[in-house]
Amino acid sequence: MLIDPRLSRYGQGVMANSHWGINCVLRRLWAFYGPWMSGCKGELILSVSVIGRFDEHRFEKLSFFNPRAFEMVLMRYLNERYGHHNWENELAHIPRFHGPVDWQCHSHLPVPSASFKISRGADPEKLIRPEHIFVFPITEEHFVEVCFEREFYSFDSEHRPTFDISPIEKLQEDIFNSITLELGPETQAKVDKVKAEVGNMQLCKEFAPLKWPTNIYPPETSAAPEGQNALQAGG
């Protein structure tokens, strides 16, 4: 699939600012039905988007192929995508989202990549309708976000699905395992240059949940000097 990196602005209120753009290149929904006449029990929703910053807000002298820099980009993106949402009035200090959780770095693509979950609600012990997200850079200024969402419509008294969710899980796993990335010669040369400079192209093994909402807790920064300095230079 050829991906056009031209970006559109997010809908109002989604991001904390207008620095980021998105191009949704694929969206699919699969419905899972129960026995005859019992209706839809659940859905799996897949979206694939290209994400980057508009030219006037680009990170100068920074390559998303650099794993330390990409970690900083993700931290900035997650803070500005999820961190500014909070409950209003007397619950202003309660975030609407929690994450990232279940962070895993991967090595099956020729670029740094990771998967994690963003959960609704502030309770770290309860993952409420989590978004299952997989990210990897495709240019020095753009990354792909693959997002899986599961919707369940039949629960017991303890809010557990009353049906076998393994077919939904298997479809999600099969789609994830089918994701490949082939780089063109010019992009491969850029990746090889970064690899020669940094050696290890893996993202960090652990990525702690961020402190949200950001109107209470200032956005966190990383101790990685290369990514830190690059983001400071980019503003």
Side-chain angles (χ1 to χ4, degrees), residues 14-190:
V14 175
M15 302 295 293
N17 51 47
S18 59
H19 298 177
W20 299 88
I22 185 171
N23 182 353
C24 184
V25 297
L26 176 67
R27 184 173 176 84
R28 295 287 186 271
L29 182 152
W30 294 267
F32 293 78
Y33 288 82
W36 180 252
M37 299 297 289
S38 64
C40 181
K41 300 296 185 180
E43 295 176 331
L44 178 66
I45 305 166
L46 165 69
S47 63
V48 180
S49 302
V50 176
I51 296 171
R53 289 169 72 90
F54 292 108
D55 288 344
E56 61 269 30
H57 302 292
R58 63 186 298 186
F59 297 133
E60 298 290 344
K61 299 179 181 179
L62 179 151
S63 172
F64 286 17
F65 294 132
N66 184 314
R68 302 290 80 79
F70 189 46
E71 290 166 8
M72 291 294 300
V73 170
L74 285 177
M75 186 178 298
R76 178 75 70 88
Y77 169 73
L78 293 175
N79 276 329
E80 296 178 6
R81 168 65 180 85
Y82 299 98
H84 69 105
H85 294 282
N86 58 272
W87 297 105
E88 298 178 355
N89 301 324
E90 70 275 8
L91 297 179
H93 63 291
I94 304 298
R96 287 180 180 263
F97 297 96
H98 174 72
V101 294
D102 293 344
W103 170 274
Q104 295 182 58
C105 60
H106 300 279
S107 59
H108 63 290
L109 298 183
V111 295
S113 62
S115 61
F116 52 90
K117 299 173 186 175
I118 300 292
S119 175
R120 290 164 174 80
D123 189 347
E125 301 300 323
K126 296 180 181 179
L127 297 184
I128 301 174
R129 294 176 57 202
E131 298 177 6
H132 301 243
I133 297 174
F134 177 51
V135 293
F136 54 91
I138 55 169
T139 79
E140 293 189 299
E141 298 180 349
H142 303 87
F143 68 91
V144 166
E145 177 186 80
V146 180
C147 181
F148 296 94
E149 298 179 77
R150 303 174 186 176
E151 296 283 0
F152 301 140
Y153 304 123
S154 180
F155 300 95
D156 60 19
S157 59
E158 298 183 0
H159 209 68
R160 296 174 301 190
T162 58
F163 62 98
D164 181 11
I165 66 172
S166 60
I168 298 178
E169 294 175 327
K170 184 178 186 305
L171 176 58
Q172 177 177 322
E173 182 179 359
D174 288 345
I175 294 172
F176 174 80
N177 290 334
S178 72
I179 297 174
T180 60
L181 178 65
E182 183 177 347
L183 303 177
E186 183 178 345
T187 303
Q188 184 64 62
K190 293 177 180 178

